[in-house]
Structures are given as structure tokens and as C-alpha cells.
Amino acid sequence: MHYTELGFVNTKVMFEVAVKDKFAVPAFNFNNMEQIQAIVMACVDVQSPVILQVSKGARAYANPILLSWMGRGAVEMMKGYAKEKGLGEIPMVLHLDHGDTFETCKECIDSGFSSVMIDGSHHAYDKNVEVSKKVVEYAHQYDVTVEGELGVLAGVEDEVSSDEHVYTQPEEVKDFVSKTGVDSLAIAIGTSHGAFKFKPGQKPQIRMDILEEIEKEIPGFPIVLHGSSSVPQDAVAMINKYGGKLDDSIGIPEEQLFAAAHSAVCKINIDSDSRLVMTALIRKTLAENPGEFDPRKYLGPARDAMIQLYSEKCIKVLNSAGKAPQIMEAIKNAK
Ligand code: G3H
Ligand code: 13P
Ligand code: ZN
């Protein structure tokens, strides 16, 4: 099934508008119904474009077939919800996060994804170029956009873990982009996956100087930041108050992401923050209502808290709130 039949768009026009207008499109991961509902409601409420992304782990957890139908359901829900609220429809992308092989990317393209990431960042440079190029050649036949990656983020990435950042080397990006034909590039400038990005005593700092060097090499080219959760301390405190144990959870300061969103960074990936908020509310609700056993009663408050989280990200961090109408218009004009 082609993604246009499901109502998705690819990232092309979205990123062109984002680079020009200095905002970043949120890429929120989902694994279950409450997350996808919260993402759709929040993004319609604030009129933000959105990238729904699923990892290899999400596909294994939720079932790949169900996931693509959930994506389709999300588009239909978005239309109904927007109408009910008297708001406009928003552009939505269905994206594979950290695709590790050509076969996984192909499977997703064939089942209705409008964008895929081929993460060859753990390979040697030439092998990364080779696999990324192969995915691009297949994807572009179907007008599916492709994100590549250069540099390695510290922490766990796709079940491979690295203690150190291997920052993206600005002198490599031009060659990589031209040899592979990727539509956007994920870079490593000090962000990392998960809820433990920095150690106590470390100053959280993303390397804006490297980003600037990269921008000079490939002016206006869409850049992606992974590992961009800020690890809200109120959610961490709530988890710990109600029986959890999360020591030293530190994320990327929102001001730094705000600055990045105003540069060529046009996609910012956030997953852990949603997991933290969801867990916090589930723990709190169950601790305060020990007799509760209806999942709707604890997943409902978790969903409400996620709606708030996603809306605030769009409004205060990514500057993507209110940008949906102009992207819809630009997509229409590009046809
Ligand atoms: O990049 C990592 C994402 O947060 C996805 O995580 O592989 O546990 O689904 P996951
Ligand atoms: P976080 O773990 O910081 O949310 O990053 C998510 C991510 O990069 C998904 O690809
Ligand atoms: Zn990632």
C-alpha cells in the first residue's frame, strides 16, 4: 500500500518550510494507542505538523501490520478530531526510526510509510554510504523520503551501545549527502538516547559550533537531532515519589533545543520524555488508588499528561505550533 492511500505526506515540503521558517517538526515515537491518540490530539490542538515514528522495537512490540493500520487510524482520527474542534487538518508523516537494514526499510515503504531512516552510522563510512544509497534508490521510486545518519550518539542506539559520542565530522557531510542522495541528515552533536544523557556534575551542552560548521558545508539542507528529550524533572520526581528509582536522569535543556530549532535543524526526535510522563502518571494513579484495576483509569490520566507534554514541546521548544496551515498550503501548491 502506498502512503498517499493512507493520507500521509513525505517530509520534503515540510522540511523546506521548516528550514525557511525556523522551526523543527516534532518526531514523536509511539508504541501504543494512548501515545498515538495524545500525539494526534496535541498536534491538532496547537496546529503543528507531526512525524509519527516507529522503531524496530515498536514494530516488534506492537506488530508491524497493526502499527501501519494504527497509522492509518491516526490520520482518520486527526480528520475527525480537527472537524469536531473546528480546526484545520494537519500534515502527518509515518516514519521508520533507526531502520537498520535495507530489508526493514523496504518492508516499511511497501506497507505505507512515507519516510524512513536508514541508520548506517555504526558502519564504516563507505558501508554507510552504500546501504544508505541503496535505500534511497528504492525509496525515491515511491516518493518516500530518506533520513541518513553520520556520527554516533552516546548511549544505546538500536541495541548497540557506545560510551562516547563520535561527533559528526563537518568535512564528511557534503560527500555523504551527495553520494547517497538522502533527503535529511541526522547528526551527532552531543545529544544521546534515553533518560540518562549526562552525569551529575556535567554541564548539558549540545555542540552548536559543530552544527554551524555542518550548516556551512550543506547550506539549507535539513538536519535531524535524535536523543532530544529534556527529561522533565517533575516527572522524574513523581516516579521516584511513587515507588520508582531513577537516579541522575538528566536531559537536554529546552533552551538549547529551541536555539537548534531556529537553525537548519528541522526534525527533533523525542521519545523518552513521553515514556517518563506516562510512567509517572500511571505510578501516581495506582499508588493513590490501590484498588484500581481498570486500565482506562490509569492510562487516561497518563494520556492527558502526554497531550500536555506534546503541546508544550510544539509551542515552547520546537516553534512548530501554528505551522500546519502553511505546510498544507505549500504541499497543495507543490502538486
Ligand atoms: O532511538 C530510540 C527510540 O527512543 C526508540 O526506542 O528502540 O526502545 O523503541 P526503542
Ligand atoms: P530520546 O531518548 O532523547 O527521547 O530520543 C529519541 C530518539 O532519538 C528516537 O529516535
Ligand atoms: Zn534516535
Side-chain angles (χ1 to χ4, degrees):
M1 193 174 300
H2 192 255
Y3 69 83
T4 48
E5 291 171 60
L6 305 183
F8 288 108
V9 297
N10 68 20
T11 58
K12 201 168 176 7
V13 172
M14 206 178 249
F15 287 172
E16 278 165 15
V17 178
V19 171
K20 197 160 108 320
D21 262 43
K22 304 203 178 309
F23 64 92
V25 180
F28 296 132
N29 291 68
F30 76 95
N31 292 267
N32 62 34
M33 185 187 78
E34 284 74 16
Q35 284 177 314
I36 203 169
Q37 288 175 315
I39 295 168
V40 170
M41 286 193 264
C43 292
V44 172
D45 285 345
V46 304
Q47 289 289 286
S48 171
V50 70
I51 297 171
L52 297 172
Q53 61 183 13
V54 298
S55 67
K56 188 176 156 192
R59 295 180 81 232
Y61 173 77
N63 181 290
I65 298 170
L66 180 60
L67 265 184
S68 66
W69 284 90
M70 281 171 81
R72 179 181 209 152
V75 174
E76 296 307 315
M77 175 193 163
M78 177 276 290
K79 290 180 183 166
Y81 181 75
K83 195 167 178 195
E84 185 189 312
K85 287 262 188 145
L87 292 166
E89 294 183 6
I90 60 167
M92 290 170 56
V93 171
L94 183 61
H95 175 77
L96 168 67
D97 190 24
H98 295 285
D100 56 345
T101 61
F102 169 79
E103 287 71 27
T104 307
C105 293
K106 179 180 182 301
E107 213 182 288
C108 288
I109 293 164
D110 294 348
S111 70
F113 282 58
S114 57
S115 171
V116 292
M117 174 187 192
I118 173 67
D119 182 355
S121 62
H122 299 288
H123 295 305
Y125 183 80
D126 288 345
K127 176 82 184 157
N128 188 359
V129 168
E130 185 190 316
V131 67
S132 303
K133 187 168 185 269
K134 187 171 175 191
V135 171
V136 168
E137 279 167 4
Y138 186 76
H140 283 183
Q141 289 176 54
Y142 302 95
D143 212 19
V144 167
T145 39
V146 180
E147 174 184 326
E149 179 169 334
L150 257 187
V152 183
L153 274 67
V156 179
E157 189 175 73
D158 223 4
E159 292 149 34
V160 180
S161 84
S162 163
D163 290 338
E164 295 287 332
H165 300 286
V166 182
Y167 293 120
T168 306
Q169 295 179 27
E171 58 277 17
E172 283 184 349
V173 296
K174 202 170 175 180
D175 185 67
F176 185 82
V177 162
S178 68
K179 279 189 178 147
T180 58
V182 291
D183 302 282
S184 61
L185 183 68
I187 57 167
I189 53 168
T191 61
S192 58
H193 292 107
F196 308 94
K197 299 186 193 298
F198 298 94
K199 302 205 168 57
Q202 275 182 330
K203 192 170 171 280
Q205 187 66 56
I206 52 178
R207 294 282 305 270
M208 292 300 279
D209 56 322
I210 301 181
L211 174 60
E212 278 165 26
E213 288 301 311
I214 291 170
E215 284 194 60
K216 277 188 211 146
E217 293 291 325
I218 42 174
F221 191 80
I223 300 294
V224 178
L225 280 192
H226 282 247
S228 298
S229 277
S230 297
V231 185
Q233 292 301 303
D234 49 349
V236 173
M238 195 183 283
I239 289 173
N240 289 340
K241 179 173 175 191
Y242 293 105
K245 192 163 164 27
L246 288 181
D247 295 329
D248 308 330
S249 303
I250 304 168
I252 310 287
E254 291 192 335
E255 318 80 74
Q256 291 182 25
L257 295 169
F258 183 81
H262 285 73
S263 71
V265 169
C266 59
K267 170 175 181 273
I268 291 190
N269 288 12
I270 297 172
D271 186 3
S272 299
D273 283 356
S274 161
R275 296 178 181 194
L276 287 165
V277 163
M278 185 176 200
T279 303
L281 267 293
I282 292 172
R283 278 194 177 278
K284 177 175 189 285
T285 311
L286 289 177
E288 288 174 347
N289 305 278
E292 190 54 71
F293 64 95
D294 178 346
R296 293 171 297 187
K297 297 285 168 34
Y298 52 86
L299 292 175
R303 185 175 60 196
D304 291 344
M306 288 190 287
I307 294 174
Q308 195 181 336
L309 173 88
Y310 295 132
S311 314
E312 286 179 0
K313 293 286 180 192
C314 297
I315 298 168
K316 296 185 188 157
V317 186
L318 307 182
N319 191 31
S320 65
K323 308 290 188 189
Q326 75 195 83
I327 296 173
M328 293 296 268
E329 187 63 26
I331 290 171
K332 223 191 304 164
N333 293 339
K335 273 183 188 157

